C-alpha cells in the first residue's frame, strides 16, 4: 500500500477520534460547570431562608432565586451579543443550511465556539428549561471545521469543500452522541435532521467519531466525576423483559396521536411568539432598541413561575428540570400503595414527597401535579427558546413528553390495577409509557424517527422498540400533516438561504 494512502487513512482516523474525544471532554466539562451552578443556586436559597421570620424567609429566598437566574441569563445574553451573535439559538437550522452548500458568514469560527460554550453554560446553569443538544451539534460542527483547517496542513484533501462537508456531517453526529451518550441514535438523528441527501460513504465517519465521543463521555462519568458506578446508560431503566402486553399497543398508538397534536401546538406557540416580537410595532421597536430587556423579562417570568416555594412547588422543586426524568422513568406506580414487600410496584416515600408534598406544603393530587408540570414547561420551553441566548429545545420537549406519557400510563394503571384483562397478571408499568411519550413528542416536533433509537440508548433497554416505533411514526405522521418541523420553521422565520424550497406540510 503506497505511503500516501496510509498517511491519508491515518489522518482520517486520528481526525475523527480527536473530534469525538474532544467533544466528549468539552461536553463533560460543561455538564460539571452547570451542575455546580445549579447546586450553588439551591445553596444560596437555603442560606437566604435563615432569617428566622417566615415572611422574610419567603422574600429573601424568592429574591435570591430570581436574582441568580436573572444574573446568569443576562451574562449569557451579553456575552453572546458582544462576542459572536452567531451563537444565538440552537444552531441546527444553520447547520442544515450550511450542509446544503450555503456559506453562512462566521458561523463556524473559533470565536463563535467560545461564544456558544460560555453562553450555553451560563444559560443552562441558570436552570431555565432549555436543552443543550442543538448547541452541541453546532459546537461539534465548528470543532470539525477547525480540525479540517488544521488537517489541511498534513493532507491537502481536507481543503476540498466536499471533504469539509463530510466532516461537518460527522461533527453533527458527534454533537448528539456527546449529549446523550447515544452513538447510533446520534448518527441517525443527525442524518434525518441536518441533511437532505446523505452520502452513504460518510456513514463510517459519523459512527466512528460518535462512538469515540460516546465511549469517552461514559468513561469520564464513571472514572473522573464518579456520577455513576458502572458504564450504564444516561437514564438507565430496569423494566422487566415482559414489561408490556400486546393489548397495550393501542394505548401506545394513542400516545402517538396525542403527541402529534401537542407537537403542532408547541410549534404554533413558538412561531406565534417569534412573529409577535417581529411584527408587533411596539414590541419590535422597543426590543430592538433595548435588546437586553427581553431576556430580563423572560428570566423574570420563568424564575417567578419555577420558584420552589411558590408555584414551583407543583413543579418538583427538589430537582432541576432535567433531573426529574429519573423520577418519571422510575419502575413504580403511583396508584399502588407505598413501596413495601406487600406492594413491590409502589413508589418510595421520597419520590411521593418530592412530587406531592414539596417543602411540606402538600399533599397534592399527583395527577394534577403531573399535568401542571408538563403543561407549564411546554409553554416555558417555547418562551425560553425565543431569547437571544444559545439554547436547544430537544431536552425540555423530551422531559415534557415523558411527563405526559407517565400521566397517561398512571391513568391506564389506575383503570386496570391488576393488569390488562385477558393478558398475564403483569401490572401496568407507567415508566414505559413515559419513555414512549418522550420519544413521541420529540419526534413530533423534530420530524425524526431516530428518536426511538436515542430513547433505547438513553434508557439502556431495547425491549420496547415496538411501542416506541409505533408511537413515533404516528406522532410524526400527525405532525407532518399540519406543520413543518421546528427546524424548518426557524429556517423560514430567519429567512436563511435554504436552497430547495421547504415543501408545504402535506403533499396536496
Amino acid at each position: 500500500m503506497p505511503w500516501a494512502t496510509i498517511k491519508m487513512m491515518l489522518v482520517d482516523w486520528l481526525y475523527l477520534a480527536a473530534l469525538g474525544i474532544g467533544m466528549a471532554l468539552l461536553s463533560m466539562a460543561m455538564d460539571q460547570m452547570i451542575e455546580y451552578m445549579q447546586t450553588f443556586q439551591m445553596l444560596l436559597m437555603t442560606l437566604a431562608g435563615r432569617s428566622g421570620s417566615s415572611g422574610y424567609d419567603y422574600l429573601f429566598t424568592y429574591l435570591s432565586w430570581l436574582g441568580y437566574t436573572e444574573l446568569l441569563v443576562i451574562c449569557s445574553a451579553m456575552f453572546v451579543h458582544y462576542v459572536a451573535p452567531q451563537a444565538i439559538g440552537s444552531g441546527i437550522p444553520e447547520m442544515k443550511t450550511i450542509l446544503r452548500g450555503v456559506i453562512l458568514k462566521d458561523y463556524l469560527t473559533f470565536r463563535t465556539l467560545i461564544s456558544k460554550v460560555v453562553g450555553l453554560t451560563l444559560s443552562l446553569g441558570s436552570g431555565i428549561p432549555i436543552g443543550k443538544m442543538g448547541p452541541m451539534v453546532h459546537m461539534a460542527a465548528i470543532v470539525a471545521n477547525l480540525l479540517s483547517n488544521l488537517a489541511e496542513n498534513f493532507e491537502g484533501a481536507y481543503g476540498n469543500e466536499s471533504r469539509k462537508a463530510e466532516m461537518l456531517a460527522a461533527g453533527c453526529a458527534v454533537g448528539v452522541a456527546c449529549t446523550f451518550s447515544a452513538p447510533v441514535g446520534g448518527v441517525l438523528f443527525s442524518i434525518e435532521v441536518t441533511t437532505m441527501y446523505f452520502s452513504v460513504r460518510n456513514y463510517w465517519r459519523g459512527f466512528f467519531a460518535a462512538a469515540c465521543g460516546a465511549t469517552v463521555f461514559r468513561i469520564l462519568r464513571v472514572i473522573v466525576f464518579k456520577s455513576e458506578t458502572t458504564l450504564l446508560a444516561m437514564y438507565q431503566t430496569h423494566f422487566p423483559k415482559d414489561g408490556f402486553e400486546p393489548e397495550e399497543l393501542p394505548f401506545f398508538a394513542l400516545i402517538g396521536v396525542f403527541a402529534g397534536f401537542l407537537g403542532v401546538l408547541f410549534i404554533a406557540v413558538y412561531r406565534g411568539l417569534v412573529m409577535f416580537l417581529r411584527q408587533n410595532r411596539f414590541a419590535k421597536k422597543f426590543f430592538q432598541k433595548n435588546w437586553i430587556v427581553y431576556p430580563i423579562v423572560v428570566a423574570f417570568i420563568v424564575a417567578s413561575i419555577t420558584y420552589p416555594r411558590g408555584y414551583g412547588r407543583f413543579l418538583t422543586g427538589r430537582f432541576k428540570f432535567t433531573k426529574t426524568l429519573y423520577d418519571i422513568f422510575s419502575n413504580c406506580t403511583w396508584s399502588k400503595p407505598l413501596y413495601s414487600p406487600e406492594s413491590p410496584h409502589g413508589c418510595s416515600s421520597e419520590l411521593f414527597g418530592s412530587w406531592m408534598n414539596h417543602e411540606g406544603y402538600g399533599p397534592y393530587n399527583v395527577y394534577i401535579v403531573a399535568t401542571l408540570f408538563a403543561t407549564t414547561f411546554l409553554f416555558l420551553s417555547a418562551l425560553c427558546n425565543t431569547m437571544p441566548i444559545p439554547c436547544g429545545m430537544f431536552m425540555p420537549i423530551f422531559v415534557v413528553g415523558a411527563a405526559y406519557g407517565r400521566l397517561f400510563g398512571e391513568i391506564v394503571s389506575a383503570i386496570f390495577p391488576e393488569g390488562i384483562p385477558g393478558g398475564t397478571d403483569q401490572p401496568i408499568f407507567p415508566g414505559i409509557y413515559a419513555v414512549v411519550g418522550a420519544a413521541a413528542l420529540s419526534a413530533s416536533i423534530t420530524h425524526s424517527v431516530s428518536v426511538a433509537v436515542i430513547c433505547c440508548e438513553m434508557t439502556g433497554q431495547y425491549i420496547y422498540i415496538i411501542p416506541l416505533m409505533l408511537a413515533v411514526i404516528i406522532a410524526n405522521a400527525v405532525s407532518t400533516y399540519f406543520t413543518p418541523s421546528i427546524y424548518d420553521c426557524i429556517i423560514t422565520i430567519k429567512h436563511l438561504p435554504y436552497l430547495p424550497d421547504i415543501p408545504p406540510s402535506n403533499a396536496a
Side-chain angles (χ1 to χ4, degrees):
M1 194 182 282
W3 165 242
T5 313
I6 295 170
K7 181 182 157 192
M8 192 168 173
M9 280 173 63
L10 272 175
V11 172
D12 232 4
W13 288 93
L14 285 171
Y15 171 104
L16 292 165
L19 174 62
I21 294 166
M23 282 310 297
L25 293 168
L26 180 63
S27 179
M28 206 73 234
M30 285 175 66
D31 281 353
Q32 283 304 109
M33 277 304 298
I34 292 159
E35 186 77 33
Y36 287 138
M37 287 177 177
Q38 293 185 349
T39 308
F40 183 70
Q41 184 175 17
M42 291 297 192
L43 181 69
L44 202 65
M45 207 181 83
T46 310
L47 293 172
R50 292 182 177 169
S51 67
S53 156
S54 59
Y56 283 130
D57 277 359
Y58 191 91
L59 177 67
F60 293 153
T61 50
Y62 170 68
L63 289 176
S64 72
W65 182 267
L66 174 67
Y68 191 82
T69 305
E70 286 280 11
L71 177 69
L72 291 186
V73 169
I74 291 167
C75 289
S76 172
M78 288 184 75
F79 189 88
V80 170
H81 183 82
Y82 291 114
V83 176
Q86 291 83 359
I88 289 171
S90 156
I92 287 181
E94 287 78 11
M95 286 315 304
K96 203 168 177 174
T97 309
I98 290 168
L99 285 168
R100 294 296 165 90
V102 177
I103 296 166
L104 294 181
K105 194 174 180 330
D106 295 334
Y107 263 93
L108 298 175
T109 59
F110 182 69
R111 191 183 173 104
T112 306
L113 177 67
I114 296 298
S115 180
K116 198 98 180 180
V117 170
V118 176
L120 183 66
T121 306
L122 289 168
S123 52
L124 281 169
S126 71
I128 60 173
I130 56 170
K132 71 179 253 215
M133 191 192 77
M136 282 296 291
V137 168
H138 187 186
M139 282 186 247
I142 297 173
V143 172
N145 186 54
L146 296 172
L147 284 171
S148 281
N149 296 340
L150 184 67
E152 204 181 324
N153 301 323
F154 304 100
E155 180 52 63
Y158 281 91
N160 184 316
E161 284 303 315
S162 164
R163 174 58 64 90
K164 277 195 173 178
E166 289 174 9
M167 293 309 171
L168 286 180
C172 292
V174 170
V176 185
C178 291
T179 309
F180 302 127
S181 189
V184 180
V187 174
L188 297 176
F189 185 82
S190 68
I191 292 169
E192 275 192 289
V193 167
T194 56
T195 55
M196 187 79 173
Y197 306 103
F198 184 76
S199 175
V200 178
R201 65 200 168 91
N202 296 345
Y203 225 21
W204 74 270
R205 287 195 172 91
F207 269 118
F208 179 69
C212 288
T215 306
V216 172
F217 186 73
R218 279 201 196 180
I219 290 171
L220 279 175
R221 289 175 76 215
V222 177
I223 298 172
V224 182
F225 301 114
K226 305 282 190 295
S227 59
E228 305 289 344
T229 48
T230 56
L231 289 179
L232 288 176
M234 283 281 282
Y235 297 98
Q236 183 67 48
T237 56
H238 301 280
F239 302 116
K241 287 188 173 64
D242 51 351
F244 68 94
E245 303 279 353
E247 290 84 358
E248 287 177 72
L249 289 176
F251 294 131
F252 295 127
L254 208 56
I255 290 177
V257 173
F258 176 71
F261 285 113
L262 206 58
V264 174
L265 173 69
F266 177 86
I267 293 171
V269 169
Y270 175 80
R271 191 197 280 128
L273 282 167
V274 175
M275 296 320 284
F276 172 78
L277 292 170
R278 293 192 170 204
Q279 292 173 351
N280 180 279
R281 208 165 356 143
F282 171 74
K284 187 177 177 183
K285 191 175 174 184
F286 180 76
F287 288 128
Q288 274 181 354
K289 193 186 285 185
N290 312 288
W291 63 270
I292 194 66
V293 176
Y294 185 69
I296 290 173
V297 170
V298 174
F300 174 79
I301 293 168
V302 175
S304 299
I305 289 174
T306 58
Y307 169 57
R309 294 187 180 177
Y311 179 75
R313 71 182 75 161
F314 302 113
L315 310 176
T316 70
R318 171 165 76 110
F319 283 141
K320 278 297 180 184
F321 180 58
T322 47
K323 297 281 177 66
T324 51
L325 268 182
Y326 291 108
D327 281 356
I328 296 170
F329 287 167
S330 61
N331 197 4
C332 67
T333 314
W334 296 338
S335 55
K336 297 268 195 290
L338 278 178
Y339 177 77
S340 67
E342 291 76 43
S343 175
H345 297 293
C347 293
S348 67
S349 55
E350 186 192 11
L351 189 147
F352 265 115
S354 74
W355 281 79
M356 282 151 277
N357 198 17
H358 180 61
E359 302 239 341
Y361 292 109
Y364 313 113
N365 182 300
V366 67
Y367 298 101
I368 292 172
V369 171
T371 307
L372 290 174
F373 172 87
T375 308
T376 304
F377 279 121
L378 183 75
F379 289 100
L380 285 186
S381 47
L383 179 66
C384 288
N385 272 280
T386 61
M387 282 198 281
I389 55 173
C391 51
M393 56 183 75
F394 185 92
M395 200 60 199
I397 287 309
F398 191 84
V399 178
V400 166
Y404 277 121
R406 177 84 194 197
L407 182 65
F408 189 91
E410 289 293 351
I411 292 167
V412 173
S413 176
I415 295 169
F416 303 112
E418 302 303 319
I420 300 290
T424 61
D425 57 354
Q426 179 85 321
I428 304 288
F429 286 96
I432 293 178
Y433 287 76
V435 176
V436 171
L441 188 58
S442 309
S444 149
I445 284 163
T446 58
H447 289 194
S448 61
V449 181
S450 54
V451 180
V453 181
I454 291 177
C455 264
C456 289
E457 289 185 277
M458 276 175 78
T459 55
Q461 286 191 282
Y462 283 83
I463 53 164
Y464 35 69
I465 190 77
I466 292 171
L468 276 172
M469 287 304 293
L470 178 70
V472 160
I473 288 168
I474 290 172
N476 236 319
V478 172
S479 176
T480 308
Y481 184 80
F482 291 103
T483 177
S485 77
I486 189 75
Y487 303 125
D488 288 345
C489 278
I490 295 170
I491 286 171
T492 312
I493 288 167
K494 287 186 172 181
H495 303 297
L496 291 172
Y498 192 75
L499 291 178
D501 284 339
I502 296 169
S505 55
N506 54 4

